[in-house]
Amino acid sequence: MKNTIMYYYNFDNISIFRWKDRKIIKVKNEVYLFEKIYNEKEIIDVYHLLNKNHQYYSFVFNRNHQLFTPYNGNYYVLLKKNNHVINLESAIFKIQYVVEGKNISNHKDWAFLWQQKNDYFEYQMNHIYGKFLLIDESIDYFIGMAEAAIAYVSYNDITLQPGIERLALCHKRINQDDFLNPINVVVDYPERDIAEYLKYIFIQQDYSSSKLERIFNQVQCTVRGYYRIYGRLLYPSYYFDLYEQIIDGKVEENKIKKIIDRIDEYEQYLSMIYYIIEKRVDIKEIDWL
């Protein structure tokens, strides 16, 4: 990796070190990330959308004036980090809308994408059953949660009157480390970030009824938007993210126990949020919560 980066970006010397779950490249006093790309079209769209947005890490073109650099049979991009410090809650409500066009990649078909994931997980479990006992014992519950989320957002799409729904710059996942990373940026409904932030503060054990009330006092969306927030909260991305890391051998299986042990607490959290939303709009209740 070191030789590839030095060659393609004309660096005389670099240092590479591990920070949390990724490798950091240091060149003199500048810090970079070398990120693997899974969807070239999506990254090109994000690049154009963020081209004049200096808040996010900047893309660095290689010596061939190209965005993507080949390495070990995959494509990567080099990102130059900045020193911006953000407040997650404030940043989430500074919504940056985008003009929806036919050619802009987006992630707005949640039910379809989640169903694809569910089908894949069920297929995969047929081949690895017995290798991960904690996953064997828990995955049916979380696939059931995902099915409930699919049904919930589908109910929203089918039964509620459609209106003007704008798309925005959102994030695959919400966390302090990756918020300004363009690889984490997607085009989606703005309610995505709100819901993912609510999951984040639960996982961080940084929530209270007063904090949740404060968050929802900042929410400005339609009834359909509230359905999207609640439907996305039902979808257990926090479990599936860790599941995939365990299957790929990146983390130990026992890390998922913290999530399993908090199932009842999360159900209570969902109930708390439901009643906060109900003060504002009428949305369908989940019977088993």
Side-chain angles (χ1 to χ4, degrees), residues 216-239:
F216 277 96
N217 284 339
Q218 300 175 75
V219 173
Q220 296 181 352
C221 64
T222 62
V223 176
R224 290 173 68 91
Y226 279 108
Y227 266 96
R228 280 196 286 268
I229 291 172
Y230 202 65
R232 194 161 194 98
L233 283 168
L234 289 170
Y235 185 77
S237 52
Y238 48 89
Y239 176 90

Side-chain angles (χ1 to χ4, degrees), residues 95 97 156-157 160-166 189-191 194 216 218-230 277 280-283:
I95 299 171
Y97 290 104
N156 178 14
D157 291 339
L160 296 186
Q161 185 70 27
I164 298 173
E165 304 285 353
R166 299 179 67 187
Y189 294 116
E191 293 82 17
I194 298 170
F216 277 96
Q218 300 175 75
V219 173
Q220 296 181 352
C221 64
T222 62
V223 176
R224 290 173 68 91
Y226 279 108
Y227 266 96
R228 280 196 286 268
I229 291 172
Y230 202 65
I277 293 175
R280 292 156 172 81
V281 297
D282 184 28
I283 64 170

Side-chain angles (χ1 to χ4, degrees), residues 27-39:
V27 183
K28 296 180 180 178
N29 293 321
E30 304 289 355
V31 177
Y32 299 85
L33 300 175
F34 197 49
E35 299 277 40
K36 186 176 178 180
I37 298 306
Y38 297 93
N39 186 324

Side-chain angles (χ1 to χ4, degrees), residues 85-94 176 179 197 214:
V85 178
I86 59 162
N87 176 287
L88 279 180
E89 186 176 319
S90 298
I92 283 163
F93 288 101
K94 292 177 182 176
Q176 198 74 47
F179 195 86
Y197 178 65
R214 187 185 73 231

Side-chain angles (χ1 to χ4, degrees), residues 136-174:
D136 291 347
E137 294 170 359
S138 60
I139 194 165
D140 286 345
Y141 171 85
F142 289 100
I143 285 178
M145 284 281 287
E147 292 291 352
I150 292 166
Y152 201 82
V153 297
S154 297
Y155 172 87
N156 178 14
D157 291 339
I158 293 168
T159 61
L160 296 186
Q161 185 70 27
I164 298 173
E165 304 285 353
R166 299 179 67 187
L167 298 180
L169 292 177
C170 297
H171 300 79
K172 295 175 185 175
R173 296 292 180 264
I174 299 294

Side-chain angles (χ1 to χ4, degrees), residues 70-90:
Y71 174 69
N72 275 0
N74 295 291
Y75 281 113
Y76 285 71
V77 293
L78 189 71
L79 302 171
K80 184 179 180 181
K81 291 191 70 176
N82 56 42
N83 295 319
H84 294 169
V85 178
I86 59 162
N87 176 287
L88 279 180
E89 186 176 319
S90 298

Side-chain angles (χ1 to χ4, degrees), residues 62-78:
N62 63 28
R63 65 186 297 162
N64 300 324
H65 305 290
Q66 295 175 339
L67 196 59
F68 303 116
T69 294
Y71 174 69
N72 275 0
N74 295 291
Y75 281 113
Y76 285 71
V77 293
L78 189 71

